[in-house]
Amino acid sequence: MGAAVSATAAERPTAERTVEFPPTPDAAAIARHFGDALARAQCDDKPYRHWNLAAVLPESLAVGVLLLPIAPPAIGDNHGVRDL
């Protein structure tokens, strides 16, 4: 995993704050892509009814989400407990 981000935006060099995002498809294209993913979804009834979806977002939109300048919260040792 990556290191926690500790510098504020003002302390980081400008080059680190500038991110080029891929072009975002229009809403209709995203809806079509999502609908196609639902149509291709595999359904299973064991152990309960659920669907497995793949390629839910258009690639350029998924890459854009991955490039968002956010970091997961830094948490300490939780002693094996998910919720404290």
Side-chain angles (χ1 to χ4, degrees):
M1 293 269 175
V5 176
S6 61
T8 65
E11 296 170 336
R12 284 183 268 149
T14 305
E16 286 184 14
R17 290 184 305 187
T18 303
V19 178
E20 295 281 331
F21 288 99
T24 304
D26 65 359
I30 295 170
R32 275 192 308 277
H33 191 93
F34 183 74
D36 292 344
L38 287 176
R40 292 188 311 269
Q42 296 179 348
C43 181
D44 195 0
D45 291 324
K46 302 277 191 235
Y48 49 84
R49 178 166 260 195
H50 64 280
W51 291 262
N52 293 318
L53 287 84
V56 175
L57 298 175
E59 184 177 356
S60 63
L61 186 59
V63 169
V65 170
L66 292 173
L67 291 175
L68 288 172
I70 56 176
I75 59 171
D77 184 11
N78 60 4
H79 307 290
V81 179
R82 192 169 95 178
D83 298 320
L84 293 177

